[in-house]
């Protein structure tokens, strides 16, 4: 038996998705021209699947700060902070994250994935109970595998199910740690954080919220759903990433708990990997500054979200429940989703194809992510092309969808 034969089914699945020679999971842009446009096969493509929510990847202040740090400190740190030491830039970014969230301390990680992996797997130890939302991101699932706690999944966005599971644990020793996300990455729906916080309070649990997709977008200061829902004081740990609204790479966890910094010597995904390069840190600090001082970024991304969402809903598409920076169109099956994705690329639009098992409820999705850098003209063009392709492939029927009815 070949070492790789266990992947035969996956390989066959991908081969069946390759239409017109295109592999949806191996798109290779020749050049990215701006946060909203790239060259692919010599053609100009509208980018609608990049998570570049505030369009900061090519922001002049961020690029300038990064260039300066690159010249001053070089291309990388070549090691972890416990072995090679902390640069002043690491400490400064941690201070800035702490100040931004109004929390005592913050720890930065080399990716957002590692922030979840590290925080969750380290906090949830033997005899503890880890309660994660069923639609959690892969990094949260992987953290659960790494943790020695007993892991329980509660029904997506269902505080009653969470409470029910916690009640069943009554009388047993050990910490209860709940993990949710602010905006969920596939359907763009938000967590019922007030209700979840109430369950946490009643049951004496700890609460971790991953704001990967809500940082810089929700809340008057851009701190995410915890801020927008008014529950920051109930949330023990906020996790986030620098790779979306902040346009770089890296992740963080922040907390008010005085013992939090012990993680620096017990959290393996922090300890045993190279730390972020100063050039990345400098761009993240500049991006935090841009996000905090230029409120038009969040205003624009939200208005673009509403424009795309309502345009698609009115066309009759079946969408995720809320107009957030992730707008997902539910497709009837994976073949249609793949065809839809490929036809959009023919028409010059790049979105994400999201298929089971990476999706909730085994849905096949066309997932768009919206940026403040998109123009209204670009959004309108996307709506009209998606609508035309929807009719062409029979995704749009004669009757308006539930989402469109709800909007009327
Ligand atoms: C909810 C959530 N958490 C964490 C991550 C990981 O972040 P990163 O890609 O920056 O490692 C992602 C990435 O998509 C995500 O969607």
């Amino acid at each position: 038996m070949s070492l790789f034969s266990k992947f035969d089914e996956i390989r066959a699945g991908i081969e069946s998705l390759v239409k017109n020679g295109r592999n949806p999971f191996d798109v290779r842009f020749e050049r990215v021209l701006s946060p909203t446009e790239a060259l692919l096969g010599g053609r100009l493509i509208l980018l609608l699947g990049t998570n570049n929510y505030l369009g900061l990847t090519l922001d002049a202040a961020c690029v300038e700060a990064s260039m300066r740090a690159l010249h001053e400190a070089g291309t990388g740190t070549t090691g972890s902070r416990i072995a090679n030491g902390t640069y002043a830039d690491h400490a400064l970014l941690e201070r800035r994250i702490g100040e931004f969230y109004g929390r005592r301390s913050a720890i930065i990680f080399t990716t957002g994935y590692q922030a979840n992996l590290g925080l969750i797997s380290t906090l949830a130890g033997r005899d503890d109970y880890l309660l994660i939302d069923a639609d959690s991101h892969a990094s949260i699932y992987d953290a659960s595998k790494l943790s020695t706690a007993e892991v329980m999944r509660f029904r997506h966005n269902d505080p009653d199910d969470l409470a029910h599971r916690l009640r069943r644990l009554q009388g047993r020793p050990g910490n209860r740690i709940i993990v949710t996300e602010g905006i969920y990455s596939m359907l763009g729906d938000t967590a019922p954080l007030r209700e979840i916080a109430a369950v946490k309070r009643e049951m004496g649990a700890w609460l971790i919220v991953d704001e990967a997709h809500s940082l810089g977008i929700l809340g008057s200061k851009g701190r995410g759903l915890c801020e927008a829902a008014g529950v920051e004081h109930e949330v023990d740990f906020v996790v986030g990433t620098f790779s979306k609204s902040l346009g770089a790479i890296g992740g963080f966890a922040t907390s008010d708990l005085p013992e939090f910094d012990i993680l620096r010597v017990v959290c393996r995904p922090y300890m045993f990997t190279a730390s972020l390069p100063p050039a990345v840190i400098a761009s993240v600090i500049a991006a935090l500054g841009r996000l905090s001082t230029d409120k038009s970024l969040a205003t624009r991304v939200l208005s673009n979200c509403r424009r795309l969402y309502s345009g698609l809903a009115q066309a009759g598409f079946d969408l995720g429940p809320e107009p957030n920076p992730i707008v997902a169109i539910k497709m009837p099956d994976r073949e249609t989703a793949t065809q839809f994705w490929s036809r959009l690329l023919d028409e010059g639009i790049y979105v994400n194809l999201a298929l089971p098992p990476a999706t909730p409820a085994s849905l096949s999705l066309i997932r768009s992510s919206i940026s403040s850098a998109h123009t209204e003209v670009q959004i309108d063009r996307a709506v009209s092309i998606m609508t035309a392709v929807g009719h062409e492939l029979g995704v749009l029927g004669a009757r308006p969808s539930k989402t469109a009815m709800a909007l009327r």
Side-chain angles (χ1 to χ4, degrees):
M1 193 167 98
S2 139
L3 183 60
F4 296 98
S5 57
K6 53 182 155 307
F7 307 119
D8 284 352
E9 208 177 308
I10 290 173
R11 184 181 297 106
I14 290 182
E15 276 163 11
S16 76
L17 294 177
V18 177
K19 297 270 152 53
N20 313 326
R22 263 187 207 137
N23 180 344
F25 306 120
D26 190 18
V27 174
R28 299 179 186 203
F29 298 108
E30 285 104 71
R31 235 182 104 199
V32 172
L33 303 171
S34 76
T36 64
E37 287 180 328
L39 283 180
L40 180 73
R43 295 165 56 232
L44 192 64
I45 301 290
L46 172 62
L47 297 174
L48 206 62
T50 63
N51 303 321
N52 197 351
Y53 298 133
L54 303 183
L56 292 178
T57 47
L58 289 165
D59 178 83
C62 298
V63 172
E64 172 69 21
S66 191
M67 293 283 278
R68 220 177 311 121
L70 188 61
H71 284 294
E72 280 169 16
T75 51
T77 63
T78 64
S80 75
R81 286 168 67 183
I82 57 160
N84 291 29
T86 286
Y87 288 39
D89 312 75
H90 295 125
L92 177 61
L93 178 54
E94 287 178 338
R95 250 193 340 271
R96 289 285 156 80
I97 295 283
E99 284 160 11
F100 179 73
Y101 280 97
R103 294 194 182 238
R104 181 195 286 251
S105 38
I107 299 180
I108 56 172
F109 291 80
T110 309
T111 64
Y113 174 90
Q114 284 159 297
N116 270 334
L117 195 70
L119 179 78
I120 297 168
S121 70
T122 311
L123 287 179
R126 208 175 306 284
D127 300 331
D128 292 335
Y129 296 93
L130 185 57
L131 293 110
I132 66 169
D133 186 287
D135 285 5
S136 288
H137 185 258
S139 54
I140 297 172
Y141 272 102
D142 291 356
S144 308
K145 282 190 200 157
L146 199 61
S147 151
T148 47
E150 185 173 330
V151 180
M152 308 172 96
R153 286 189 320 167
F154 59 93
R155 273 202 297 273
H156 176 54
N157 276 352
D158 188 340
D160 292 337
D161 188 46
L162 172 64
H164 174 68
R165 286 168 197 277
L166 281 165
R167 260 183 225 114
R168 287 210 313 235
L169 297 177
Q170 266 168 359
R172 295 200 216 166
N175 292 292
R176 286 84 165 121
I177 301 164
I178 304 166
V179 186
T180 87
E181 295 173 29
I183 294 177
Y184 279 85
S185 60
M186 284 295 148
L187 288 173
D189 49 337
T190 49
L193 268 194
R194 274 192 217 116
E195 293 79 356
I196 287 175
V199 172
K200 170 238 157 150
R201 208 170 41 241
E202 185 197 332
M203 308 305 285
W206 302 97
L207 179 56
I208 299 175
V209 179
D210 177 355
E211 299 271 24
H213 296 275
S214 27
L215 162 61
I217 289 149
L218 301 182
S220 63
K221 294 197 169 62
R223 299 205 289 232
L225 185 66
C226 301
E227 186 196 0
V231 297
E232 286 180 293
H233 57 292
E234 305 272 16
V235 176
D236 303 291
F237 305 91
V238 174
V239 183
T241 172
F242 304 143
S243 72
K244 303 184 194 304
S245 49
L246 297 173
I249 191 161
F252 67 89
T254 182
S255 178
D256 259 337
L257 294 170
E259 305 96 331
F260 182 58
D261 281 281
I262 190 68
L263 288 184
R264 295 183 194 278
V265 289
V266 292
C267 173
R268 297 166 71 87
Y270 171 86
M271 295 160 68
F272 296 107
T273 195
S275 61
L276 281 174
V280 168
I281 294 181
S283 81
V284 173
I285 291 173
L288 262 182
R290 293 279 288 113
L291 178 164
S292 304
T293 51
D294 186 352
K295 295 295 167 199
S296 74
L297 294 170
T299 310
R300 270 207 312 279
V301 69
L302 286 168
S303 110
N304 281 343
C305 299
R306 285 191 287 270
R307 196 173 185 94
L308 183 74
Y309 188 91
S310 64
L312 294 176
Q314 269 153 28
F317 284 110
D318 196 0
L319 305 177
E322 296 169 55
N324 279 320
I326 297 156
V327 172
I329 307 179
K330 296 178 192 166
M331 291 280 131
D333 51 64
R334 57 194 286 136
E335 288 70 30
T336 313
T338 309
Q339 262 184 309
F340 199 103
W341 175 86
S342 186
R343 283 289 297 116
L344 288 188
L345 211 48
D346 291 340
E347 301 298 329
I349 298 186
Y350 172 76
V351 294
N352 309 125
L353 175 66
L355 299 176
T359 51
S362 295
L363 286 164
S364 295
L365 301 172
I366 291 294
R367 176 189 182 276
S368 300
S369 57
I370 299 120
S371 174
S372 58
H374 285 122
T375 63
E376 292 185 350
V377 171
Q378 287 175 321
I379 300 276
D380 293 348
R381 198 175 122 233
V383 170
S384 68
I385 290 173
M386 288 181 184
T387 304
V389 173
H391 284 298
E392 177 190 314
L393 299 183
V395 174
L396 290 175
R399 282 187 317 139
S401 73
K402 277 191 250 139
T403 321
M405 305 272 272
L407 278 178
R408 279 176 194 161

